[in-house]
Amino acid sequence: MKKTEQFLKSIYNSLDKKRDSYLELGMALASTDHIDSVVELSESPLYTRKHGQLYKTLVGVEIDESLWLKANHDVCSKTCETLSGIEVYSGDSTFIKRKDAKTLEGRTMKKLSNQEIAKGHELYWTMRLSERSNSWAGVMQVDRMTRDDTVSSMAGRHMKAIDVLNTNKKLFVFDAGHGQDILKDYQECKHSDIVMRLKGTQRFFKPPVTKPKGSKGRPPTHGPMFKLSKASDPVDQRVVSFKGKPLRISYWQDLHYEKHSAVQGRIMKLEFLKESGEPVFQKPIWLFSTDTDSDMEILAYAYLWRSSHELSFRFMKQHLALTKQKSPDVTSCDHWYQLVALAMNLLLSIRDSVQAQARPWQPVDLDKMPSQRQAQKRALSFFSQVESPIRPTRPAGKGIGRHLGFLPTPRKVIPVLRKTPKRIKKCRSCGVPLAA
């Protein structure tokens, strides 16, 4: 309980306006099973204000990003395990569909895996992976991507912000959607390394051969080409066990991208095997890592641990109402996404203080760690006993209304967008333009 109280106090200090109402909203969201709209949070016993204050809070709250990030980092450091002393982080984006909001500010388009052209907000999340045996993860940062942002630029921005928090060794794992541009920001980090999945068609280069003394021309930048599709003769290869299944790991070292010859790394190939020794899947998992000191098993486990990030996306959409914010105000949407991240970390802070309650037809295991869903079911009774810095509500009194001469800012009107020029109407009988 002390861990949760310290986290609530840190979050409270990172808020400048509407702090009491916003913190109550986070506790209400973390303890509510399911809502169909944002305003339903006002029915929670943890939210002591009226429903009208809820909308004002989402628009008017002010968040100090540096203090907010430090509070998230502190609670993750206390609850998340390391991998051989390395803090493991994961970065990925998720898309919030808003197809009906045609004039929504900041709306972007994205082609999904099912070839659907979706319109809405794309969010980039950086999470601290917590437990290898389950899907727990803590949210470090979440930002809405603009039209000019890419997943590589957002990943680099988050990585630089987290790198300076402490001097511990950090490992960031990314999927194949991230490109080599992330290496620009990586070179500015002092305590971080990368494990990134590759596409099977990519190529790398070995270190250049030393130029003969007295020869003309500039020294070569690249050595022999290394194609993933024709990789052979690995430096080392071994078979390990991952969750009871054999996993073959091969790696090649001293390789670099064509545009980033200064960053040397290693290429890893992961293959799950059958009992006969043949690969289970036709295509292997290719990884590029800038960490050349750690054992290749640790790097492979770190990437396979990344599945907790995807499961956290599913939990936030199903049980934390990530997609239920339908406001046309982009500021309100941004603060709602931060509120979902706050609810995730609140559940993480109470994980070790609540007991997993098994259903009548399930075996009772007192030593089993509760899941995110089980912690959410116990959150209401737990938050009711926590000492929070939230100030109690006071009578508002009689309102004085608007000041004399006050004129509210009119809502911005978005003009109709036309893809073709407007046609001039003509007379059906003679064909003369009616505008003439």
Side-chain angles (χ1 to χ4, degrees), residues 210-222:
T210 304
K211 183 181 177 182
K213 188 175 181 180
S215 58
K216 297 181 179 180
R218 65 178 180 84
T221 307
H222 311 295

Side-chain angles (χ1 to χ4, degrees), residues 83-84 86 171 249 268 294-303:
L83 194 60
S84 297
I86 303 176
L171 193 63
I249 307 176
M268 301 178 58
S294 301
D295 190 79
M296 59 181 181
E297 294 183 30
I298 297 177
L299 302 179
Y301 291 160
Y303 179 80

